[in-house]
Amino acid sequence: MTVASIVLSVPLVLGFLPLGAAKVLAVAPMRQNAAHLRYSVTAFRGIGVLAIAGALGVLVGMMWWPLGAAAGIGLVLLMIGAVISHMKVGDGVAEYVPAIGVGVLALAYVVTMFGAHL
């Protein structure tokens, strides 16, 4: 694990853990987001579980890089799904730019993980 991958892992873990937990717990803003994006609360909870799993995978990836890389890829895919979901409901760019930014961050993390081990 490189310094770059450690630096990139911190915001990923600190961002995805609480947001994933909020989705799993179905707090009011997450229920509203689910409705806006035309997801059931149950489906949104599933997305929350994936976010938590990704964050924990990135955390464990500090000790076992293949898991960290796989978790990072999963987070990139989650963010691609988020962008697609926002586009489907007609949201403007401002609504999905955060997902693009976080997706790029996760992709940079994946690149550093593979770059250090290939």
Side-chain angles (χ1 to χ4, degrees), residues 18-72:
L19 285 174
K23 285 179 173 88
V24 168
L25 296 172
V27 298
M30 291 302 133
R31 288 194 310 270
Q32 292 167 350
N33 285 345
H36 170 73
L37 295 171
R38 300 184 187 135
Y39 285 102
S40 68
V41 171
T42 302
F44 225 53
R45 281 183 167 143
I47 293 168
V49 168
L50 293 174
I52 291 168
L56 293 176
V58 167
L59 196 58
V60 173
M62 291 184 188
M63 294 172 281
W64 190 49
W65 80 269
L67 180 60

